[in-house]
Amino acid sequence: MPRLISTLVAALLAGLLLTATARAELAFSPCAERGQAGFECATLKVPLDRSGEVPGTIRLRVQRLIQPSQPEAVLMNVEGGPGGSATARSQQSARLFEPLRDAYQLVLVDPRGIGASRPYLRCSPHAARCARQLGRAGRFYTTADSVADLDAVRAALGAPKVFVYGTSYGTFVAQEYARTHPERTERIVLDSPVPPTGIDALQLETFAAIAPMLRRLCADGACAHATRDVVADTRRLAHRLQRRPLRAVLREPGERPRRVRLGGEDVFEVLMNGDENVALRALYPGALHAALAGDGAPLARMLVLGAEDHPPRFLNPSIYVPTSCTDMRLPWRRSATPRERVRALERAYSRLPASAAAPFPRSVLEEASIAPVCLGWPATSLARAVTDRPPPAVPTLVLSGLGDLRTSPADAAAVARAYPDAQVMEVPNRAHGVLRTDVECGREALLAFVADRPVGNPCAASAPLLAVQPRPLRRVARAQPAAG
């Protein structure tokens, strides 16, 4: 017992010393890196393992907008992913939060292992291999660690409370911060929120959101020239391509034509890509029409246009496995063997009704599921992610794009029900990351929210997506020669 007490005292003293040292070392100076004009940078050292069992430190990159006099109140912007860098989007954040400069100092923190924080995490996408590469350190890249790091930054800034703005997975971090430290949370904005229970390993809410999204896209006869029933035709194409893939020739400027093979999972990927680029959604009805007629080239072209290319400074994919596989609710016991995990996952799939994957076959849901990625990760099944505290009664703004598949409107509704002081703004014709695509109306919403006024829906009049309609060639007017 005396040994336990001495160990606890030593850990407490070490934590107090580290906090004091970190605060003393948080000295800002203008950022030297390209693309960071107008920001000042600092580094905050935090422990890899706050229990002290595993040695090591993390150097968090902290940036804040340069202002003549920094307000006392602090606004922290938390990116999604997991793996997104806040400092890589500094200029975008400066524009979005510009109306709040007089009230808040804008602070950006790169989570451990990401962006300009060091060491930068590098790990295999294969879970078992990643676990071997990271060893014991792999246990400390979780949501709980991000929450503790944010609070260390808050303490180093000397701020009694913080306003936390999260996007996508960043909303889960924001929610967990508010639950863990309700007395230190001034307010939260949850843009495209993950539900309070965390990421859905089987992506059931994503599949449930597909048919409503397609119906909105084609409402009021918008897709009449391409399809009479976009959901039924999507079902027909996806099931057909799962049985017999469609081959197409893809032609890109400056490159040799190449043959591609399109399956049902590619139709799903095209729809998911529209979350990040809603303009692509306007092309889908025409591509669907062509693919059903045997021409897969438009669909293949949409795959290329929608492919995301995130440089390491924007997104570190290596963080995905240690964070998600530790924090998600998975359909197996934590102590399950690899064979038991496979069987548990197969049972979870078999219990799903056929409608769970609609309008796609179940095989596409199984391929899209995140759970198989985590079969080889040792510390699974929500080890430390969700706190036991209820959501706090702090001012909360929930933002949801009605076309969002990654974090569906149903997810946003679940979040809003959980928070007693939540306001909800649903934005038509937008998908993932609402305020990034509607900055002007987003600013109106932020100003109303910070002023404790009803937010309403200043983004309700967002420009509609106009589906690109195929026309028979006989109806296309012959081009007239230019005058002169």
Side-chain angles (χ1 to χ4, degrees):
M1 190 68 178
R3 182 179 178 184
L4 176 60
I5 293 173
S6 64
T7 301
L8 291 173
V9 169
L12 178 61
L13 290 174
L16 291 173
L17 178 61
L18 182 59
T19 300
T21 304
R23 183 166 182 178
E25 292 178 353
L26 193 58
F28 285 97
S29 60
C31 300
E33 293 91 344
R34 185 178 179 181
Q36 302 300 336
F39 281 82
E40 53 187 0
C41 292
T43 298
L44 179 65
K45 287 186 180 180
V46 296
L48 171 69
D49 171 15
R50 284 180 165 82
S51 75
E53 178 187 346
V54 179
T57 57
I58 300 289
R59 301 187 302 282
L60 298 174
R61 166 59 67 88
V62 183
Q63 290 183 195
R64 68 180 179 185
L65 195 65
I66 297 174
Q67 300 194 152
S69 60
Q70 292 287 1
E72 291 185 5
V74 171
L75 189 167
M76 288 186 182
N77 182 34
V78 185
E79 284 295 325
S85 164
T87 66
R89 297 184 182 272
S90 60
Q91 302 305 319
Q92 185 184 50
S93 295
R95 290 191 297 273
L96 176 60
F97 298 113
E98 191 275 335
L100 305 183
R101 287 185 182 185
D102 292 339
Y104 294 92
Q105 54 177 301
L106 173 61
V107 176
L108 310 176
V109 183
D110 275 345
R112 51 180 60 201
I114 295 169
S117 290
R118 294 293 179 266
Y120 186 85
L121 188 74
R122 288 181 171 83
C123 196
S124 169
H126 186 275
R129 192 173 300 132
C130 180
R132 289 193 297 271
Q133 290 170 345
L134 296 181
R136 292 194 298 169
R139 307 200 311 260
F140 306 107
Y141 290 89
T142 66
T143 303
D145 293 301
S146 292
V147 166
D149 290 346
L150 286 181
D151 199 54
V153 173
R154 176 206 59 79
L157 291 166
K161 291 187 175 186
V162 289
F163 168 7
V164 186
Y165 182 102
T167 304
S168 191
Y169 165 75
T171 67
F172 189 47
V173 177
Q175 291 179 71
E176 285 305 296
Y177 185 90
R179 285 171 143 181
T180 307
H181 304 293
E183 73 288 352
R184 300 172 190 169
T185 306
E186 180 202 314
R187 64 186 66 235
I188 53 176
V189 172
L190 308 174
D191 188 340
S192 308
V194 171
T197 51
I199 299 169
D200 175 13
L202 300 184
Q203 292 198 290
L204 298 181
E205 289 294 345
T206 287
F207 279 84
I210 291 172
M213 180 276 291
L214 290 173
R215 291 191 183 102
R216 288 190 191 98
L217 177 66
C218 291
D220 300 321
C223 306
H225 291 287
T227 172
R228 292 183 179 180
D229 188 335
V230 67
V231 177
D233 281 348
T234 297
R235 181 186 300 111
R236 190 153 60 101
L237 179 64
H239 283 259
R240 179 193 295 178
L241 296 189
Q242 262 332 68
R243 294 191 303 268
R244 185 176 181 181
L246 180 64
R247 300 187 182 278
V249 176
L250 182 61
R251 292 178 172 85
E252 297 180 75
E255 296 188 16
R256 296 180 64 182
R258 56 190 173 96
R259 295 186 178 277
V260 295
R261 177 180 174 274
L262 300 169
E265 69 279 3
D266 294 306
V267 181
F268 174 76
E269 185 177 343
V270 161
L271 296 180
M272 289 293 288
N273 288 345
D275 266 7
E276 297 289 343
N277 183 355
V278 290
L280 279 178
R281 293 261 166 90
L283 302 177
Y284 176 70
L288 170 66
H289 177 88
L292 284 171
D295 180 6
L299 198 66
R301 183 62 181 156
M302 285 188 71
L303 280 173
V304 173
L305 290 172
E308 297 177 60
D309 182 17
H310 292 297
R313 68 188 184 92
F314 282 102
L315 181 76
N316 183 358
S318 292
I319 210 81
Y320 190 85
V321 165
T323 301
S324 297
C325 293
T326 304
D327 286 356
M328 278 192 303
R329 295 187 185 277
L330 292 156
W332 55 75
R333 292 176 294 106
R334 212 178 156 197
S335 59
T337 65
R339 181 173 294 181
E340 289 171 337
R341 292 182 180 193
V342 170
R343 289 175 179 170
L345 182 57
E346 289 173 347
R347 284 195 300 272
Y349 288 142
S350 68
R351 290 171 184 154
L352 295 175
S355 59
F360 291 87
R362 183 180 292 169
S363 57
V364 172
L365 184 149
E366 293 177 9
E367 290 173 23
S369 169
I370 306 167
V373 175
C374 301
L375 286 168
W377 185 254
T380 63
S381 296
L382 216 68
R384 296 185 293 153
V386 176
T387 62
D388 294 330
R389 292 187 183 186
V394 300
T396 303
L397 177 59
V398 178
L399 306 174
S400 176
L402 292 179
D404 194 351
L405 299 181
R406 283 171 171 80
T407 52
S408 71
D411 291 336
V415 171
R417 288 192 298 270
Y419 285 81
D421 292 335
Q423 298 187 66
V424 183
M425 187 174 82
E426 292 184 325
V427 184
N429 311 311
R430 294 296 177 267
H432 200 63
V434 171
L435 295 198
R436 284 183 186 159
T437 51
D438 267 314
V439 172
E440 292 304 322
C441 66
R443 287 173 172 176
E444 292 182 43
L446 286 175
L447 284 170
F449 177 63
V450 168
D452 294 318
R453 301 195 311 267
V455 171
N457 196 347
C459 297
S462 298
L465 293 178
L466 299 177
V468 177
Q469 306 292 351
R471 293 286 199 277
L473 285 177
R474 66 179 180 275
R475 294 180 55 188
V476 178
R478 180 174 298 178
Q480 298 298 317

